[in-house]
Amino acid sequence: MKTPVHIAITGAAGQISYALAFRLIAGDLAGPDQPLVLHLLEVPEAMLPMKGVAMELMDCASPLLADVIISSDPREAFDGADLVFLIGAKPRGPGMERRDLLQINAEIFAVQGQALNQAAKRGVKVLVVGNPANTNAMIALRNAPDLAPENFSAMTRLDHNRAVSQLASHCGCGTGAISRVAVWGNHSITQYPDLHHARVSGAPALEQVEQDWFRNQFIPVVQKRGAAVIEARGKSSAASAAHAALECMRDWMFGTPADDWVSMAVVSDGSYGVTPGLVYSFPVTVADGRYAIVPELPINQFSHVRMHLTEAELIAERDMVQHLFRY
Ligand code: NAD
Ligand code: LMR
């Protein structure tokens, strides 16, 4: 019997967690022979619905589920965690931008960053999903001085998947034919989904699609997809977000495919001139559980302007929450 992996999920009574937890106990993240202990965190007012989720998880009788721990105390919930999905936060409604959530959600990530610092395993992988995800991740890591910044990432995998899907659909091919799509910057309207390095069946994507489609349809559709889902569903994306979170964590644990990369928002080391310390989405490869920003991609003026614009938005967000940083 393998040692169980301890996975903490915040916002455990919410819609994304509900779509995620049952896939975890089916083995979709860590494999069909890897036991798990789930640590579920909610606010005190949502303990009852979270208990209901825990009951349903037990009722699956999954041989992978070694235990379920429920708590409203972040320190208790993160105790011994190997993997953490920070999902619990308010979602936006119609007509809002994700940055409108910053003042509402920021404090959550300061408190949870401190709890992670105290209680999580030192090699923990923390994926921030709650919006605005990039800046929330920056708040969390800046409250966890004893954890490496590389332990934290914010989720732009949903944007990456949306970009892959839009390109495949436009080219009339399967998504398996698409590689090297990159999403740069913030998980927001300013994100820059970039096809300059992308390939369709191994050949350059921009030789197979029209510039006008790339610039005037593809980019805004991907940038605004979250709002379009809210408009259609009346609620923000949930199953696709859970799927993206699972894929992001899986690739972070087990590595990215040869000849391809994924998009993850990670602490900038100054690559591509991005201000160090911002949590910015880059194309990354992963090996041995560690990500590396893909180096030295050629960046033209069109891309440079957009990469800078989304960086400027992250700087403005950072400036609004600096008072919450512990270092
Ligand atoms: P939801 O309202 O269904 O669930 C959120 C849950 O979080 C609620 O049950 C709430 O009680 C809980 N919560 C609030 N504060 C908490 C705290 N301090 N500790 C623990 N739990 C807490 O929302 P959802 O649809 O699951 O979305 C969650 C977040 O994920 C939102 O901020 C949403 O905007 C974001 N999101 C991000 C992406 C992305 O791509 N990064 C995609 C989809 C949604
Ligand atoms: C998304 O991209 O679907 C989420 O971030 C939810 C939102 O507010 O758009």
Side-chain angles (χ1 to χ4, degrees):
M1 186 76 168
K2 288 184 171 177
T3 308
V5 172
H6 289 253
I7 305 180
I9 305 176
T10 73
Q15 54 158 2
I16 297 175
S17 301
Y18 196 68
L20 176 66
F22 295 88
R23 292 195 55 195
L24 298 181
I25 65 164
D28 288 357
L29 173 67
D33 61 352
Q34 175 59 61
L36 315 170
V37 175
L38 293 185
H39 300 222
L40 307 182
L41 178 72
E42 259 295 350
V43 291
E45 312 83 74
M47 284 302 277
L48 186 57
M50 181 172 64
K51 276 183 191 159
V53 174
M55 287 160 69
E56 282 203 72
L57 285 163
M58 288 172 63
D59 292 350
C60 293
S62 165
L64 298 183
L65 185 59
D67 199 4
V68 189
I69 296 162
I70 60 173
S71 179
S72 59
D73 173 359
R75 206 194 161 288
E76 184 178 55
F78 298 150
D79 192 21
D82 298 290
L83 308 174
V84 178
F85 294 91
L86 294 186
I87 299 170
K90 195 174 161 48
R92 67 173 163 157
M96 291 172 77
E97 285 302 333
R98 298 181 188 97
R99 65 172 168 269
D100 298 335
L101 297 168
L102 192 54
Q103 298 300 357
I104 303 169
N105 288 334
E107 185 72 34
I108 295 173
F109 293 86
V111 170
Q112 294 183 355
Q114 289 168 29
L116 287 164
N117 195 53
Q118 292 170 353
K121 293 223 177 94
R122 300 301 86 176
V124 66
K125 290 179 167 45
V126 181
L127 180 63
V128 177
V129 175
N131 278 320
N134 299 53
T135 299
N136 288 338
M138 190 177 188
I139 296 168
L141 74 89
R142 296 290 284 268
N143 277 275
D146 304 327
L147 294 173
E150 291 76 19
N151 292 45
F152 291 82
S153 175
M155 188 169 92
T156 52
R157 182 58 172 267
L158 180 53
D159 310 291
H160 181 99
N161 287 349
R162 288 167 172 163
V164 168
S165 168
Q166 290 297 320
L167 178 59
S169 160
H170 187 69
C171 293
C173 64
T175 52
I178 308 294
S179 60
R180 300 193 184 186
V181 164
V183 174
W184 303 94
N186 201 0
H187 173 62
S188 76
I189 190 87
T190 67
Q191 68 179 266
Y192 172 44
D194 181 8
L195 295 183
H196 285 93
H197 321 285
R199 292 175 182 266
V200 181
S201 302
L206 287 183
E207 290 176 11
Q208 300 175 66
V209 302
E210 317 75 44
Q211 279 287 338
D212 180 58
W213 175 81
F214 166 55
R215 293 183 177 200
N216 300 316
Q217 290 191 51
F218 170 82
I219 293 176
V221 163
V222 175
Q223 288 174 327
K224 294 179 194 163
R225 188 67 163 186
V229 170
I230 291 170
E231 201 59 39
R233 246 171 60 83
K235 293 183 199 159
S236 65
S237 61
S240 59
H243 180 75
L246 190 145
E247 285 198 321
C248 179
M249 191 64 95
R250 184 201 60 205
D251 289 347
W252 196 1
M253 292 165 73
F254 299 115
T256 43
D259 289 332
D260 200 4
W261 58 58
V262 295
S263 302
M264 284 174 68
V266 299
V267 171
S268 171
D269 59 359
S271 294
Y272 298 97
V274 175
T275 305
L278 294 179
V279 175
Y280 186 98
S281 182
F282 293 96
V284 304
T285 54
V286 181
D288 301 324
R290 301 175 72 87
Y291 68 78
I293 296 169
V294 176
E296 294 175 14
L297 293 170
I299 303 297
N300 66 14
Q301 187 59 18
F302 180 87
S303 294
H304 177 77
V305 168
R306 280 153 188 79
M307 287 163 66
H308 187 66
L309 191 78
T310 190
E311 178 196 14
E313 185 184 47
L314 283 169
I315 291 171
E317 288 184 14
R318 178 201 64 192
D319 291 349
M320 286 169 67
V321 297
Q322 294 215 42
H323 60 284
L324 294 172
F325 295 169
R326 278 178 75 190
Y327 75 93

